[in-house]
Amino acid sequence: MPQVLIIGGGLAGAAAATWLARDGHEVQLLERERGPHDKVCGEFLSFEAQDELRALGIDLAALGAVPIETVAVERRQSRGATPLAFTGLSLSRRVLDEAVLAGAAAAGARIQRGIRATTLRRSGAGWKVGTDAGETLWAPDLFLATGKHDLRGWRRPPGPQPDMIGFKMYWRLADSRSLERTVELHLFPSGYAGLQMVEGDRANLCLVIHKAAFTAMGGRWEALLAHLRETCPGLAARLSGATPWHARPLAIAAIPYGLVQRQSEGVWRLGDQAAVIPSFTGEGMSLALHSARQAATFFTAGRRAEAYQQRLARDLSGQVRRSTLLSRALVAPFPQAAIGGMLHPTLMRWMLRATRIPAGARTGGKAGMLSPRGSG
Ligand SMILES: Cc1cc2nc3c(=O)[nH]c(=O)nc-3n(C[C@H](O)[C@H](O)[C@H](O)COP(=O)(O)OP(=O)(O)OC[C@H]3O[C@@H](n4cnc5c(N)ncnc54)[C@H](O)[C@@H]3O)c2cc1C
């Protein structure tokens, strides 16, 4: 019987498994995918995410991550660009998530692939989990790290910006050299799209759009691409002569942007199950990794799940709230036009700062996100 059962082997689940196993806990992790897989993600690794991955022993350069030094924002004909305050990195989730899972296994966690949790309920002093393999597992402590996917009976509330859907598609660009070391954010009516290179000479186009706007296009990817080409001249130029890697994009509906879970109900909620920050910030992975480390620290210190959840919510709610306000402005016609007219490096730098995890909440920070103080 494991002491801790983790559902989901994305970054949050795998990172928590690593920290807990390193602390000497017996950990079992269920991941529904049998092997490496793609995810809807812009794949931009912020400074904070890189820091967390380094602490887990992940060598991003050895995995093929490519550097990102500049952020450019475009709306129609306007373009503003500013250097990042750090060197970002870009690496496919197919490679990254596998590396972190392998690290968890090496630390001693028992990883079970190709098993999907289907039910979760309280049972005695612990949790009973049913799986699609017909098994029932029991553990005293349960970490929920299913990311974008909600377990039946454990649906997350919608969050303040609940009406966006996301798409991701890799492209081989006719000219990839001129995109190197840059992440581009293209604003278009009802949405925004990120474009950057990942390893293997592929460009990752990842975008979000209002569900209603996509429905008005007949819910067709081809119509959405035509809309992007028509409204984003810079993106149209990038995609001119480009070939897609797959016939269809990956898609995700009903993203609960802005959600911060304050109640735990006894479960340790990690990553996107704990908080969902709008994608343009490129901070979702860093938040997932932080939550995993913080949860493991609280758990090892003998604290309760509620105490962890409340601390995480307190530390991250300002950042998530500011980012969600900006995200709403980026997709609403008038605010978007105003932002598009002010693509000044100073404003862009302010936007970047406002959407980062506060230093005090990070590892080694004064408020000590990782210090499990107080009772709970
Ligand atoms: C459009 C878009 C663009 C983004 N771009 C970026 C970016 O550029 N940079 C960034 O840092 N963040 C970005 N993010 C956010 C980032 O993708 C997430 O915050 C991050 O993946 C959360 O990690 P996680 O481990 O919580 O969840 P996930 O990565 O979703 O992992 C969850 C895992 O659980 C497994 N699982 C699900 N259900 C079950 C089940 N029932 N049983 C067993 N296993 C299960 C899944 O297979 C998956 O492997 C973006 C998000 C979106 C939507």
Side-chain angles (χ1 to χ4, degrees):
M1 182 189 75
Q3 191 183 354
V4 176
L5 190 56
I6 301 179
I7 309 178
L11 291 185
T18 308
W19 290 118
L20 290 166
R22 283 186 188 173
D23 284 344
H25 304 291
E26 211 166 293
V27 182
Q28 183 175 355
L29 180 150
L30 308 181
E31 166 52 48
R32 66 180 194 170
E33 299 285 346
R34 286 188 187 285
H37 54 283
D38 291 316
K39 283 184 173 164
V40 178
C41 185
E43 301 177 330
F44 174 85
L45 285 161
S46 67
F47 171 77
E48 294 85 353
Q50 294 174 43
D51 234 20
E52 287 292 328
L53 289 163
R54 219 170 286 123
L56 288 167
I58 303 294
D59 184 343
L60 290 163
L63 292 172
V66 301
I68 304 282
E69 285 159 353
T70 301
V71 56
V73 182
E74 289 193 22
R75 182 180 178 274
R76 297 190 190 279
Q77 316 292 341
S78 318
R79 178 179 169 103
T82 189
L84 287 167
F86 55 88
T87 299
L89 289 175
S90 174
L91 181 67
S92 70
R93 296 294 300 271
R94 175 177 278 268
V95 168
L96 178 61
D97 287 36
E98 284 303 306
V100 181
L101 258 187
R110 181 165 168 235
I111 311 293
Q112 285 188 281
R113 303 292 298 257
I115 297 196
R116 185 168 64 87
T118 50
T119 57
L120 166 63
R121 60 191 165 83
R122 259 200 191 283
S123 169
W127 297 91
K128 218 180 227 179
V129 174
T131 75
D132 61 353
E135 269 183 306
T136 303
L137 306 167
W138 187 89
D141 288 288
L142 194 287
F143 283 51
L144 188 60
T146 53
K148 303 162 178 72
H149 310 276
D150 291 329
L151 270 187
R152 189 145 41 93
W154 292 83
R155 188 164 293 282
R156 292 163 298 170
Q161 191 186 18
D163 46 2
M164 306 302 286
I165 54 180
F167 295 91
K168 172 198 175 165
M169 175 69 108
Y170 289 125
W171 297 80
R172 185 177 292 285
L173 301 183
D175 164 27
S176 57
R177 292 288 301 278
S178 60
L179 184 62
E180 276 173 11
R181 296 177 181 267
T182 299
V183 54
E184 288 184 345
L185 186 67
H186 296 270
L187 308 182
F188 61 89
S190 299
Y192 49 83
L195 187 74
Q196 64 179 37
M197 299 304 295
V198 294
E199 82 280 7
D201 200 29
R202 293 168 298 169
N204 175 341
L205 174 69
C206 196
L207 63 101
V208 292
I209 180 169
H210 267 303
K211 185 169 186 279
F214 185 58
T215 305
M217 293 170 193
R220 290 175 48 247
W221 169 243
E222 293 73 18
L224 174 53
L225 268 183
H227 176 68
L228 290 177
R229 286 195 161 102
E230 193 184 314
T231 55
C232 306
L235 185 56
R238 292 265 181 234
L239 295 184
S240 164
T243 43
W245 276 73
H246 304 285
R248 310 291 313 159
L250 284 179
I252 175 111
I255 309 167
Y257 278 154
L259 171 71
V260 177
Q261 293 273 27
R262 285 161 208 283
Q263 306 301 325
S264 94
E265 296 165 76
V267 160
W268 300 75
R269 296 172 196 267
L270 309 177
D272 279 4
Q273 287 289 314
V276 184
I277 190 161
S279 313
F280 78 92
T281 62
E283 276 284 8
M285 289 191 271
S286 120
L287 213 141
L289 292 160
H290 275 289
S291 70
R293 192 165 176 187
Q294 189 182 38
T297 305
F298 270 60
F299 183 81
T300 298
R303 303 285 304 282
R304 296 209 327 263
E306 280 72 17
Y308 148 74
Q309 210 77 59
Q310 280 160 21
R311 171 68 81 84
L312 188 75
R314 202 176 71 207
D315 285 343
L316 301 182
S317 56
Q319 175 206 16
V320 173
R321 195 179 51 248
R322 283 190 298 277
S323 304
T324 308
L325 277 171
L326 264 169
S327 177
R328 292 170 85 153
L330 286 176
V331 299
F334 294 117
Q336 190 195 77
I339 290 169
M342 299 189 298
L343 290 177
H344 190 273
T346 311
L347 175 74
M348 291 170 64
R349 278 196 290 275
W350 174 82
M351 274 170 60
L352 290 175
R353 262 201 315 276
T355 56
R356 304 252 78 85
I357 291 181
R362 294 189 50 233
T363 317
K366 234 179 17 172
M369 181 173 175
L370 298 176
S371 87
R373 285 172 300 150
S375 62

